[in-house]
Amino acid sequence: MTRYPRDLQGYGPTPPEANWPGGARIAVQLVVNYEEGGENNILHGDAASEAFLSEIVGAAPWPGQRHANMESIYEYGARAGFWRLHRMLRDLPVTVYGVATALARSPVQVAAMKEANWEIASHGLRWIEHRDMPEAAERAAIVEAIRLHTEVVGEAPVGFYCGRSSVNTIRLAAESGQFAYLADTYADDLPYWIEVGDRDQLIVPYTLDANDMRFATPQGFNAPEQFFDYLRATFDTLHAEGGRMMSVGLHCRLVGRPGRAEALARFVEHAQAKGDVWFATREQIAAHWAATHPHVRRERPSQMDRDAFVARFGGVFEHSPWIAERAHGLELGPPHDTAVGLHNALCRAFRAATEEERVAVLAAHPDLAGKLATARRLTEESASEQSSAGLDALTDAERTTFERLNAEYVARHGFPFIIAVRDHDKAGILAAFERRIGQSRASEFAEACRQVERIALHRLRDMLS
């Protein structure tokens, strides 16, 4: 079977209420990336110098050589930039993404982080690319990052962000069982859960747009005012929406430069002046989300084998399990694990069928208030649906009217009159019956198919709440 692993639906049109502490409209999360001393360097056993996120835009690695200019830029972050940020932010909740080897080479900075009660999350063992790293090597690197981090900081990290990650990073970090949250996604404005085997893993997504890294990338920020304006606009939009989270990504060697630091200071003042803001570490956000929105595992149709899928959903289209059989063969994924998503897959199978097959689906539906209803031989779903509109409690005159209309409709169109009775009351159903009976067969066939799909959606919503 074809399965597509990416979740392109997320929370959809109705994200959950964040219920931030104190009734705050927005949670603001400041991240200080501490990477200095953990970057590519032949002193660290690497094949070449660093070339990523520095003042030297477009830099290339120098194979087998140290790059003195690049090293000094990273050194500025540790020697001066960090302390400028520390003075500015030490009274605020901050999360540090700490590269373990960088932390090990900066004991005074680590002591300052701890003195300020900043959360120190793991930023991996090294500030290097992981995209081509063998899975076993990356797993071992995560284990070593946890060990070294714990040794240097004095406690194990609660959160993890690699940044230069591979397709395996999130899964491997989750499988470690170490982390209350992971951050290697940029997929939402709120935390969300994923399932990795038996583990329910919380994701607290990060940002690459409200991030000073854009001072070091093409088409990024080239002036402090641009950085401030972007942070302010992001904050104001999320504050107006309410119930959102804003991450701000900072690097000691980038925003730690004096001209850029001023823009960060103005943003913090703007956010504080706005009010209704919860400045929080990522650990605090993760703890709040886990307590307020604990994960509940639910039925996942996209993960069912064919027999289980058909057994569960084969009756959604009345007496037509072949629709579920064909839908199971489509490219299903997480978005199809909801009623609306699975409905789309089933409808695709129905719509792609021949007209003869679709007519057979229509013919499988019982007459409204017909003989099967009287004999109590309807499917459980059909019986409930007809009962919801009062069709199981007709007067003799009403029953006679329905029987006449049923007979005339079938004689004219060749299939039963079908309507999603949950959308109507008894009077509305009769009015639709009288109106539709005179339509052309082509128009009525199209309308009956739409009604069959509507009935299926109601049934799926009952099944996948």
Side-chain angles (χ1 to χ4, degrees):
M1 60 184 180
T2 304
R3 294 297 176 258
Y4 190 70
R6 298 168 64 200
D7 184 354
L8 301 178
Q9 175 168 301
Y11 290 123
T14 55
E17 291 292 335
N19 297 316
W20 300 129
R25 291 188 59 78
I26 184 173
V28 174
Q29 210 294 287
L30 303 173
V31 171
V32 172
N33 291 266
Y34 197 84
E35 299 153 352
E36 290 74 12
E39 77 278 14
N40 283 286
N41 192 313
I42 64 171
L43 294 175
H44 306 157
D46 298 304
S49 62
E50 185 56 71
F52 189 48
L53 291 188
S54 78
E55 303 297 333
I56 310 173
V57 178
W62 288 9
Q65 298 183 58
R66 292 176 64 184
H67 191 320
N69 288 347
M70 183 64 72
E71 288 184 19
S72 69
I73 289 171
Y74 271 77
E75 288 161 11
Y76 182 92
R79 293 163 57 108
F82 169 80
W83 297 109
R84 182 167 287 115
L85 296 180
H86 185 264
R87 288 191 295 271
M88 182 188 302
L89 304 175
R90 65 179 166 193
D91 293 329
L92 288 172
V94 168
T95 291
V96 176
Y97 285 165
V99 174
T101 51
L103 295 175
R105 295 183 173 112
S106 300
V108 178
Q109 290 89 334
V110 170
M113 297 171 193
K114 296 178 68 174
E115 182 183 0
N117 290 317
W118 289 356
E119 175 202 359
I120 308 177
S122 176
H123 199 2
L125 181 64
R126 300 281 317 286
W127 179 232
I128 59 175
E129 289 288 354
H130 293 74
R131 63 184 183 184
D132 297 321
M133 188 177 289
E135 183 174 322
E138 186 174 4
R139 181 182 288 108
I142 292 172
V143 171
E144 177 60 13
I146 296 169
R147 185 203 66 78
L148 182 57
H149 183 111
T150 305
E151 185 177 284
V152 171
V153 176
E155 57 186 357
V158 172
F160 180 85
Y161 174 74
C162 174
R164 300 165 79 170
S165 58
S166 77
V167 72
N168 299 314
T169 300
I170 290 177
R171 174 175 58 83
L172 294 176
E175 288 174 354
S176 75
Q178 170 65 43
F179 303 108
Y181 73 88
L182 305 179
D184 272 292
T185 84
Y186 317 97
D188 213 298
D189 296 316
L190 287 173
Y192 60 93
W193 295 93
I194 63 171
E195 296 171 2
V196 180
D198 294 333
R199 181 171 176 78
D200 299 332
Q201 179 65 63
L202 183 63
I203 302 293
V204 181
Y206 187 44
T207 179
L208 294 182
D209 66 312
N211 193 311
D212 68 358
M213 68 174 285
R214 295 180 65 79
F215 281 112
T217 59
Q219 201 177 5
F221 308 128
N222 57 35
E225 197 66 31
Q226 295 174 348
F227 187 44
F228 169 73
D229 283 347
Y230 194 86
L231 294 183
R232 177 193 51 77
T234 301
F235 174 88
D236 288 352
T237 297
L238 294 176
H239 186 278
E241 291 179 358
R244 301 291 187 271
M245 179 186 79
M246 178 182 177
S247 296
V248 181
L250 309 169
H251 296 77
C252 302
R253 63 191 176 278
L254 296 177
V255 80
R257 294 283 176 174
R260 298 167 184 156
E262 182 268 348
L264 174 62
R266 280 197 290 148
F267 166 71
V268 171
E269 291 172 2
H270 174 79
Q272 290 175 322
K274 192 81 169 183
D276 297 332
V277 180
W278 181 40
F279 283 90
T281 66
R282 299 179 85 76
E283 180 179 3
Q284 289 171 325
I285 289 172
H288 170 81
W289 201 264
T292 308
H293 299 285
H295 184 56
V296 177
R297 293 211 168 198
R298 55 187 173 84
E299 192 172 23
R300 296 199 176 276
S302 69
Q303 301 306 307
M304 292 180 176
D305 63 35
R306 182 176 178 276
D307 290 345
F309 185 91
V310 174
R312 180 76 170 110
F313 303 110
V316 171
F317 281 73
E318 193 88 356
H319 297 299
S320 303
W322 60 266
I323 294 177
E325 292 172 2
R326 295 181 189 179
H328 187 265
L330 297 175
E331 182 191 79
L332 303 184
H336 299 100
D337 293 335
T338 65
V340 171
L342 183 56
H343 179 255
N344 181 266
L346 292 170
C347 287
R348 285 177 59 191
F350 175 60
R351 295 165 189 167
T354 65
E355 180 172 333
E356 182 180 7
E357 288 173 319
R358 285 181 287 158
V359 168
V361 173
L362 303 184
H365 282 257
D367 291 336
L368 291 184
K371 294 179 180 179
L372 290 179
T374 302
R376 300 185 181 278
R377 290 173 53 198
L378 299 177
T379 65
E380 182 179 345
E381 293 82 5
S382 289
S384 175
E385 289 156 0
Q386 295 205 21
S387 175
S388 71
L391 300 186
D392 60 341
L394 299 176
T395 65
D396 290 343
E398 289 171 334
R399 186 172 301 282
T400 298
T401 299
F402 268 101
E403 289 175 352
R404 174 180 60 79
L405 290 171
N406 280 328
E408 292 178 7
Y409 185 95
V410 172
R412 180 176 177 83
H413 298 297
F415 47 80
F417 176 76
I418 300 171
I419 191 169
V421 295
R422 294 198 207 182
D423 296 333
H424 306 275
D425 58 16
K426 183 166 54 180
I429 292 169
L430 280 170
F433 220 150
E434 297 280 6
R435 173 180 57 81
R436 287 171 50 188
I437 201 169
Q439 292 192 141
S440 69
R441 186 186 184 281
S443 295
E444 192 54 24
F445 175 71
E447 179 61 32
C449 287
R450 284 192 290 270
Q451 293 297 322
V452 164
E453 292 182 6
R454 181 68 179 169
I455 292 168
L457 179 59
H458 282 305
R459 292 179 178 181
L460 286 168
R461 282 175 170 161
D462 289 342
M463 300 169 78
L464 299 173
S465 56

